[in-house]
Amino acid sequence: MKKAATKTTTANKPATPRKLKVRDDESPWTPEELADVRAELEGDVERLTTELNGFENDIAGLIKDSGDGAGDDEADAGAKTFEREHEYSLAQNSRDLLEQSVHALERIDDGTYGVCENCGNAIGKLRLQAFPRATLCLTCKAQQERR
């Protein structure tokens, strides 16, 4: 199974919160607000990396166990297949969240955090505080979900 690409976070890099884009009706990012978002994302990276390693170990065990199913009836085989597919799904979800968290940290570091990746407008500080992995403003996200 492919290992998740993890990147060590860049807590030593100075963040420049005042330069991050915000909506016209919002105040600029404060160092404390940005530090809170960064800490949440870094915690997510650590948690998701650990979680993903656990899922991968579980999947490896399930694959190993599936080979010695001699004498299993169809229900046993089906249950094992369902459990393996469920673990794959959980692992993929964790992998996606991990990639999103790392991407958000990279955007903080390069000064593009808060900029919609579709239209270039501000995502909104309140949206990012609620969902720090957001890469689209509400308008673009709504359009994406209608497709």
Side-chain angles (χ1 to χ4, degrees):
M1 169 153 293
K2 181 179 134 188
K3 290 284 184 190
T6 58
K7 174 186 170 195
T8 56
T9 57
T10 52
N12 297 334
K13 273 192 171 182
T16 53
R18 297 247 177 237
K19 293 181 182 179
L20 295 178
K21 193 169 191 174
V22 294
R23 294 178 5 174
D24 292 337
D25 60 343
E26 294 177 323
S27 61
W29 285 92
T30 66
E32 295 80 20
E33 290 170 332
L34 194 58
D36 288 345
V37 169
R38 179 184 289 280
E40 181 179 347
L41 288 166
E42 288 173 344
D44 286 347
V45 167
E46 186 176 324
R47 176 184 57 80
L48 290 165
T49 299
T50 301
E51 194 175 276
L52 189 56
N53 288 335
F55 286 137
E56 289 175 348
N57 289 336
D58 291 347
I59 291 168
L62 290 170
I63 290 171
K64 181 181 174 231
D65 289 346
S66 70
D68 55 339
D72 284 352
D73 62 15
E74 289 179 23
D76 289 337
K80 286 180 181 179
T81 299
F82 174 79
E83 187 176 358
R84 188 172 53 245
E85 292 300 319
H86 180 69
E87 290 292 323
Y88 280 134
S89 178
L90 292 173
Q92 186 58 47
N93 186 45
S94 291
R95 189 174 293 110
D96 290 345
L97 289 173
L98 177 61
E99 289 172 7
Q100 291 171 16
S101 296
V102 169
H103 182 61
L105 287 166
E106 291 169 346
R107 287 172 47 94
I108 289 172
D109 292 338
D110 69 16
T112 60
Y113 191 69
V115 178
C116 178
E117 290 184 342
N118 187 46
C119 70
N121 292 330
I123 293 173
K125 187 166 78 168
L126 291 176
R127 175 167 163 70
L128 289 168
Q129 287 172 321
F131 185 68
R133 292 177 212 81
T135 58
L136 299 174
C137 66
L138 285 175
T139 303
C140 291
K141 185 63 177 173
Q143 288 174 348
Q144 180 193 50
E145 289 180 356
R146 281 195 293 261
R147 290 183 198 153

PDB file of all heavy atoms in Angstrom, residues 91-110:
ATOM      1  N   ALA A  91      -9.201   4.783   5.221  1.00  0.00           N
ATOM      2  CA  ALA A  91      -7.822   5.195   4.947  1.00  0.00           C
ATOM      3  C   ALA A  91      -7.781   6.279   3.877  1.00  0.00           C
ATOM      4  O   ALA A  91      -7.042   7.259   4.001  1.00  0.00           O
ATOM      5  CB  ALA A  91      -6.981   3.992   4.520  1.00  0.00           C
ATOM      6  N   GLN A  92      -8.585   6.121   2.835  1.00  0.00           N
ATOM      7  CA  GLN A  92      -8.597   7.121   1.764  1.00  0.00           C
ATOM      8  C   GLN A  92      -9.117   8.462   2.274  1.00  0.00           C
ATOM      9  O   GLN A  92      -8.585   9.510   1.933  1.00  0.00           O
ATOM     10  CB  GLN A  92      -9.439   6.649   0.574  1.00  0.00           C
ATOM     11  CG  GLN A  92      -9.358   7.576  -0.622  1.00  0.00           C
ATOM     12  CD  GLN A  92      -7.937   7.766  -1.128  1.00  0.00           C
ATOM     13  OE1 GLN A  92      -7.192   6.810  -1.299  1.00  0.00           O
ATOM     14  NE2 GLN A  92      -7.537   9.006  -1.344  1.00  0.00           N
ATOM     15  N   ASN A  93     -10.137   8.436   3.131  1.00  0.00           N
ATOM     16  CA  ASN A  93     -10.663   9.662   3.713  1.00  0.00           C
ATOM     17  C   ASN A  93      -9.589  10.348   4.558  1.00  0.00           C
ATOM     18  O   ASN A  93      -9.389  11.563   4.452  1.00  0.00           O
ATOM     19  CB  ASN A  93     -11.904   9.362   4.557  1.00  0.00           C
ATOM     20  CG  ASN A  93     -12.557  10.610   5.067  1.00  0.00           C
ATOM     21  OD1 ASN A  93     -12.744  11.571   4.339  1.00  0.00           O
ATOM     22  ND2 ASN A  93     -12.890  10.601   6.345  1.00  0.00           N
ATOM     23  N   SER A  94      -8.881   9.590   5.372  1.00  0.00           N
ATOM     24  CA  SER A  94      -7.802  10.158   6.190  1.00  0.00           C
ATOM     25  C   SER A  94      -6.692  10.717   5.314  1.00  0.00           C
ATOM     26  O   SER A  94      -6.143  11.782   5.594  1.00  0.00           O
ATOM     27  CB  SER A  94      -7.233   9.104   7.137  1.00  0.00           C
ATOM     28  OG  SER A  94      -8.178   8.766   8.118  1.00  0.00           O
ATOM     29  N   ARG A  95      -6.362  10.010   4.249  1.00  0.00           N
ATOM     30  CA  ARG A  95      -5.321  10.465   3.320  1.00  0.00           C
ATOM     31  C   ARG A  95      -5.729  11.790   2.676  1.00  0.00           C
ATOM     32  O   ARG A  95      -4.922  12.727   2.585  1.00  0.00           O
ATOM     33  CB  ARG A  95      -5.056   9.401   2.253  1.00  0.00           C
ATOM     34  CG  ARG A  95      -3.856   9.672   1.384  1.00  0.00           C
ATOM     35  CD  ARG A  95      -3.543   8.519   0.435  1.00  0.00           C
ATOM     36  NE  ARG A  95      -3.109   7.345   1.165  1.00  0.00           N
ATOM     37  CZ  ARG A  95      -3.820   6.215   1.286  1.00  0.00           C
ATOM     38  NH1 ARG A  95      -4.988   6.091   0.711  1.00  0.00           N
ATOM     39  NH2 ARG A  95      -3.346   5.197   1.975  1.00  0.00           N
ATOM     40  N   ASP A  96      -6.987  11.901   2.264  1.00  0.00           N
ATOM     41  CA  ASP A  96      -7.470  13.150   1.661  1.00  0.00           C
ATOM     42  C   ASP A  96      -7.410  14.310   2.652  1.00  0.00           C
ATOM     43  O   ASP A  96      -6.972  15.410   2.304  1.00  0.00           O
ATOM     44  CB  ASP A  96      -8.900  12.980   1.147  1.00  0.00           C
ATOM     45  CG  ASP A  96      -9.002  12.075  -0.066  1.00  0.00           C
ATOM     46  OD1 ASP A  96      -7.966  11.793  -0.707  1.00  0.00           O
ATOM     47  OD2 ASP A  96     -10.135  11.633  -0.367  1.00  0.00           O
ATOM     48  N   LEU A  97      -7.865  14.074   3.878  1.00  0.00           N
ATOM     49  CA  LEU A  97      -7.826  15.119   4.898  1.00  0.00           C
ATOM     50  C   LEU A  97      -6.393  15.529   5.224  1.00  0.00           C
ATOM     51  O   LEU A  97      -6.106  16.717   5.431  1.00  0.00           O
ATOM     52  CB  LEU A  97      -8.555  14.669   6.163  1.00  0.00           C
ATOM     53  CG  LEU A  97     -10.071  14.572   6.064  1.00  0.00           C
ATOM     54  CD1 LEU A  97     -10.651  13.950   7.332  1.00  0.00           C
ATOM     55  CD2 LEU A  97     -10.685  15.932   5.803  1.00  0.00           C
ATOM     56  N   LEU A  98      -5.490  14.555   5.254  1.00  0.00           N
ATOM     57  CA  LEU A  98      -4.084  14.842   5.510  1.00  0.00           C
ATOM     58  C   LEU A  98      -3.521  15.743   4.407  1.00  0.00           C
ATOM     59  O   LEU A  98      -2.853  16.742   4.685  1.00  0.00           O
ATOM     60  CB  LEU A  98      -3.292  13.540   5.612  1.00  0.00           C
ATOM     61  CG  LEU A  98      -1.786  13.669   5.812  1.00  0.00           C
ATOM     62  CD1 LEU A  98      -1.461  14.404   7.102  1.00  0.00           C
ATOM     63  CD2 LEU A  98      -1.130  12.286   5.810  1.00  0.00           C
ATOM     64  N   GLU A  99      -3.790  15.397   3.163  1.00  0.00           N
ATOM     65  CA  GLU A  99      -3.309  16.203   2.042  1.00  0.00           C
ATOM     66  C   GLU A  99      -3.885  17.613   2.093  1.00  0.00           C
ATOM     67  O   GLU A  99      -3.177  18.589   1.832  1.00  0.00           O
ATOM     68  CB  GLU A  99      -3.654  15.533   0.713  1.00  0.00           C
ATOM     69  CG  GLU A  99      -2.839  14.288   0.442  1.00  0.00           C
ATOM     70  CD  GLU A  99      -3.300  13.516  -0.785  1.00  0.00           C
ATOM     71  OE1 GLU A  99      -4.187  14.007  -1.523  1.00  0.00           O
ATOM     72  OE2 GLU A  99      -2.785  12.409  -1.011  1.00  0.00           O
ATOM     73  N   GLN A 100      -5.165  17.745   2.444  1.00  0.00           N
ATOM     74  CA  GLN A 100      -5.786  19.060   2.550  1.00  0.00           C
ATOM     75  C   GLN A 100      -5.149  19.885   3.666  1.00  0.00           C
ATOM     76  O   GLN A 100      -4.935  21.091   3.513  1.00  0.00           O
ATOM     77  CB  GLN A 100      -7.287  18.925   2.799  1.00  0.00           C
ATOM     78  CG  GLN A 100      -8.063  18.382   1.631  1.00  0.00           C
ATOM     79  CD  GLN A 100      -9.504  18.064   2.005  1.00  0.00           C
ATOM     80  OE1 GLN A 100     -10.013  18.503   3.033  1.00  0.00           O
ATOM     81  NE2 GLN A 100     -10.171  17.289   1.169  1.00  0.00           N
ATOM     82  N   SER A 101      -4.846  19.245   4.791  1.00  0.00           N
ATOM     83  CA  SER A 101      -4.235  19.950   5.922  1.00  0.00           C
ATOM     84  C   SER A 101      -2.829  20.424   5.570  1.00  0.00           C
ATOM     85  O   SER A 101      -2.460  21.568   5.871  1.00  0.00           O
ATOM     86  CB  SER A 101      -4.199  19.049   7.153  1.00  0.00           C
ATOM     87  OG  SER A 101      -5.510  18.733   7.574  1.00  0.00           O
ATOM     88  N   VAL A 102      -2.049  19.560   4.927  1.00  0.00           N
ATOM     89  CA  VAL A 102      -0.697  19.940   4.508  1.00  0.00           C
ATOM     90  C   VAL A 102      -0.775  21.076   3.493  1.00  0.00           C
ATOM     91  O   VAL A 102      -0.004  22.047   3.567  1.00  0.00           O
ATOM     92  CB  VAL A 102       0.071  18.717   3.938  1.00  0.00           C
ATOM     93  CG1 VAL A 102       1.361  19.138   3.249  1.00  0.00           C
ATOM     94  CG2 VAL A 102       0.349  17.718   5.044  1.00  0.00           C
ATOM     95  N   HIS A 103      -1.717  20.999   2.573  1.00  0.00           N
ATOM     96  CA  HIS A 103      -1.887  22.050   1.569  1.00  0.00           C
ATOM     97  C   HIS A 103      -2.242  23.386   2.233  1.00  0.00           C
ATOM     98  O   HIS A 103      -1.716  24.429   1.844  1.00  0.00           O
ATOM     99  CB  HIS A 103      -2.965  21.628   0.561  1.00  0.00           C
ATOM    100  CG  HIS A 103      -3.190  22.603  -0.549  1.00  0.00           C
ATOM    101  ND1 HIS A 103      -2.205  22.958  -1.442  1.00  0.00           N
ATOM    102  CD2 HIS A 103      -4.292  23.314  -0.916  1.00  0.00           C
ATOM    103  CE1 HIS A 103      -2.688  23.836  -2.307  1.00  0.00           C
ATOM    104  NE2 HIS A 103      -3.949  24.073  -1.998  1.00  0.00           N
ATOM    105  N   ALA A 104      -3.102  23.353   3.234  1.00  0.00           N
ATOM    106  CA  ALA A 104      -3.473  24.584   3.945  1.00  0.00           C
ATOM    107  C   ALA A 104      -2.251  25.189   4.639  1.00  0.00           C
ATOM    108  O   ALA A 104      -2.050  26.413   4.601  1.00  0.00           O
ATOM    109  CB  ALA A 104      -4.575  24.296   4.956  1.00  0.00           C
ATOM    110  N   LEU A 105      -1.422  24.347   5.251  1.00  0.00           N
ATOM    111  CA  LEU A 105      -0.201  24.862   5.887  1.00  0.00           C
ATOM    112  C   LEU A 105       0.747  25.472   4.858  1.00  0.00           C
ATOM    113  O   LEU A 105       1.366  26.513   5.108  1.00  0.00           O
ATOM    114  CB  LEU A 105       0.500  23.743   6.667  1.00  0.00           C
ATOM    115  CG  LEU A 105      -0.191  23.323   7.960  1.00  0.00           C
ATOM    116  CD1 LEU A 105       0.374  22.003   8.475  1.00  0.00           C
ATOM    117  CD2 LEU A 105      -0.091  24.416   9.013  1.00  0.00           C
ATOM    118  N   GLU A 106       0.854  24.838   3.699  1.00  0.00           N
ATOM    119  CA  GLU A 106       1.693  25.395   2.633  1.00  0.00           C
ATOM    120  C   GLU A 106       1.161  26.746   2.186  1.00  0.00           C
ATOM    121  O   GLU A 106       1.935  27.679   1.941  1.00  0.00           O
ATOM    122  CB  GLU A 106       1.744  24.429   1.440  1.00  0.00           C
ATOM    123  CG  GLU A 106       2.503  23.161   1.712  1.00  0.00           C
ATOM    124  CD  GLU A 106       2.324  22.099   0.637  1.00  0.00           C
ATOM    125  OE1 GLU A 106       1.411  22.215  -0.212  1.00  0.00           O
ATOM    126  OE2 GLU A 106       3.101  21.124   0.666  1.00  0.00           O
ATOM    127  N   ARG A 107      -0.159  26.871   2.101  1.00  0.00           N
ATOM    128  CA  ARG A 107      -0.772  28.143   1.690  1.00  0.00           C
ATOM    129  C   ARG A 107      -0.542  29.233   2.738  1.00  0.00           C
ATOM    130  O   ARG A 107      -0.355  30.395   2.385  1.00  0.00           O
ATOM    131  CB  ARG A 107      -2.261  27.946   1.403  1.00  0.00           C
ATOM    132  CG  ARG A 107      -2.499  27.178   0.098  1.00  0.00           C
ATOM    133  CD  ARG A 107      -3.955  26.802  -0.123  1.00  0.00           C
ATOM    134  NE  ARG A 107      -4.918  27.842   0.083  1.00  0.00           N
ATOM    135  CZ  ARG A 107      -5.411  28.637  -0.870  1.00  0.00           C
ATOM    136  NH1 ARG A 107      -5.003  28.481  -2.111  1.00  0.00           N
ATOM    137  NH2 ARG A 107      -6.303  29.557  -0.584  1.00  0.00           N
ATOM    138  N   ILE A 108      -0.559  28.866   4.011  1.00  0.00           N
ATOM    139  CA  ILE A 108      -0.240  29.846   5.050  1.00  0.00           C
ATOM    140  C   ILE A 108       1.192  30.339   4.851  1.00  0.00           C
ATOM    141  O   ILE A 108       1.462  31.549   4.875  1.00  0.00           O
ATOM    142  CB  ILE A 108      -0.426  29.250   6.463  1.00  0.00           C
ATOM    143  CG1 ILE A 108      -1.912  29.048   6.768  1.00  0.00           C
ATOM    144  CG2 ILE A 108       0.219  30.155   7.508  1.00  0.00           C
ATOM    145  CD1 ILE A 108      -2.190  28.292   8.067  1.00  0.00           C
ATOM    146  N   ASP A 109       2.104  29.404   4.632  1.00  0.00           N
ATOM    147  CA  ASP A 109       3.518  29.743   4.492  1.00  0.00           C
ATOM    148  C   ASP A 109       3.811  30.582   3.254  1.00  0.00           C
ATOM    149  O   ASP A 109       4.671  31.460   3.291  1.00  0.00           O
ATOM    150  CB  ASP A 109       4.377  28.476   4.475  1.00  0.00           C
ATOM    151  CG  ASP A 109       4.387  27.767   5.818  1.00  0.00           C
ATOM    152  OD1 ASP A 109       4.097  28.412   6.843  1.00  0.00           O
ATOM    153  OD2 ASP A 109       4.686  26.559   5.837  1.00  0.00           O
ATOM    154  N   ASP A 110       3.105  30.309   2.161  1.00  0.00           N
ATOM    155  CA  ASP A 110       3.412  31.068   0.939  1.00  0.00           C
ATOM    156  C   ASP A 110       2.532  32.311   0.763  1.00  0.00           C
ATOM    157  O   ASP A 110       2.637  33.017  -0.239  1.00  0.00           O
ATOM    158  CB  ASP A 110       3.380  30.172  -0.301  1.00  0.00           C
ATOM    159  CG  ASP A 110       2.001  29.672  -0.688  1.00  0.00           C
ATOM    160  OD1 ASP A 110       0.984  30.211  -0.209  1.00  0.00           O
ATOM    161  OD2 ASP A 110       1.938  28.718  -1.474  1.00  0.00           O
TER     162      ASP A 110
END
